[in-house]
Amino acid sequence: MKEFKILITPRPFFTKGGDIIRRLKEKGYSVVINDTGKRLTSELLEYQLQDVDAVLTGNDHLSAELLTKAPRLKVISKYGVGLDNIDLNFCNSHGILVKKAIGANAISVAEMAILLMMIGARRIIQLTWSVETGESKRIVGQELFGKTLGIIGYGSIGKIVSKYAQGLGMNVLVNDPYIKSYNPNENTIKLVRREDIFKMSDVISLHMPLTHGTRGLIDQKSFKLLKPDAVLINTARAEIVNEKDLYDWLNSNEQAFAAEDVELNKRHEKIRQLNNYLITPHAASFTEEADRKTMIISVKNITDYFDNEGKDKT
């Protein structure tokens, strides 16, 4: 087999993926791994890409300008599922296959979404702030049992969130433009219009990729339809929710609550100071189990390509 060179940038491979890297080398691959302990700079990334056949990337910004520096590149494998950091138009026009680790982190993200729902329903942030100020204020929350959960985006993560929510006794509404019907065994969920999700749900959970069509999807019009004490959960991407409209909704309605697991630099300090808002640093998929599954799947996406001599273009 011709020796193919793979650049692997996600940091978990250096600390936890030694056996996977070893097997790649045993199969005849040349492997360059990020051992810096931090994200690669754009300059170093450009240098490393010059002679690679494949790149396994995390959140590196693979712009068209950068990808032009990689003339041998045949396949990009995402360590995760969001592809908004990769110029897909460039890849499509230059025959570069882009794959993602579908389902690898679905359980971890779904569990985080449920956790954030509970934090919102029981007003944990307000309770914590009360203790820190010495008030010991017993704030009344709500049970999730019997409440209605609206899920926007019914892919691998959304389906698991639905399952967990039903286990908690919640009613589940779903909106996804790619789903026209659902499994009859899932007769406790209901497909509805997006507007009905906002109007009827006590909790809304977002599970869609960031695309041109979803950027700013949740805006002022959406917030006007929500119940006064609604809980909004976003474990997808910050850009899906209009920040100004989110701030205005929370700032004018102390009974509302929003929790987001997104990149911190995507949210202004002003909104992060609200006591009915919680942000975590896009860490929902950061579990030992998800790390391992994502490493295995993202590497397999590359080896499958070369094992098939590049014939897989789907």
Side-chain angles (χ1 to χ4, degrees), residues 9-10 39 57-62 78-79 82 85 237 263 282:
T9 70
R39 287 185 186 177
T57 182
N59 292 319
D60 311 287
H61 182 50
L62 299 183
K78 177 65 185 280
Y79 182 79
N85 61 308
R237 290 292 191 274
E263 297 282 352
H282 205 45

Side-chain angles (χ1 to χ4, degrees), residues 158-300:
K159 286 183 173 67
I160 297 174
V161 171
S162 173
K163 179 180 178 181
Y164 290 166
Q166 290 175 69
L168 292 170
M170 300 184 77
N171 305 305
V172 178
L173 306 177
V174 168
N175 175 263
D176 190 313
Y178 298 101
I179 296 179
K180 305 304 179 185
S181 61
Y182 58 90
N183 189 321
N185 294 324
E186 297 180 291
N187 56 11
T188 52
I189 73 167
K190 182 179 180 181
L191 292 172
V192 298
R193 300 179 307 161
R194 190 184 306 140
E195 292 77 10
D196 292 328
I197 291 281
F198 299 132
K199 292 177 182 178
M200 301 168 64
S201 300
D202 301 293
V203 183
I204 295 100
S205 196
L206 309 179
H207 300 287
M208 75 281 279
L210 176 63
T211 65
H212 178 73
T214 63
R215 185 178 296 271
L217 182 71
I218 313 301
D219 57 10
Q220 185 182 44
K221 293 180 181 179
S222 308
F223 290 116
K224 284 184 176 180
L225 297 175
L226 294 179
K227 296 181 179 181
D229 58 352
V231 173
L232 175 67
I233 307 298
N234 178 14
T235 54
R237 290 292 191 274
E239 295 90 335
I240 292 171
V241 181
N242 181 286
E243 182 178 27
K244 180 184 181 301
D245 296 341
L246 174 62
Y247 176 83
D248 290 344
W249 177 62
L250 292 171
N251 191 47
S252 62
N253 184 3
E254 64 179 17
Q255 293 302 309
F257 181 81
E260 297 188 291
D261 180 63
V262 298
E263 297 282 352
L264 295 182
N265 62 6
K266 301 295 184 181
R267 288 293 181 245
H268 193 274
E269 183 69 22
K270 184 170 70 170
I271 194 171
R272 289 156 57 180
Q273 292 300 317
L274 295 174
N275 68 358
N276 56 348
Y277 176 77
L278 170 66
I279 185 170
T280 53
H282 205 45
S285 63
F286 279 47
T287 64
E288 296 289 342
E289 295 83 358
D291 269 354
R292 186 66 184 178
K293 285 183 284 188
T294 307
M295 283 192 282
I296 291 171
I297 293 174
S298 56
V299 166
K300 187 175 185 296

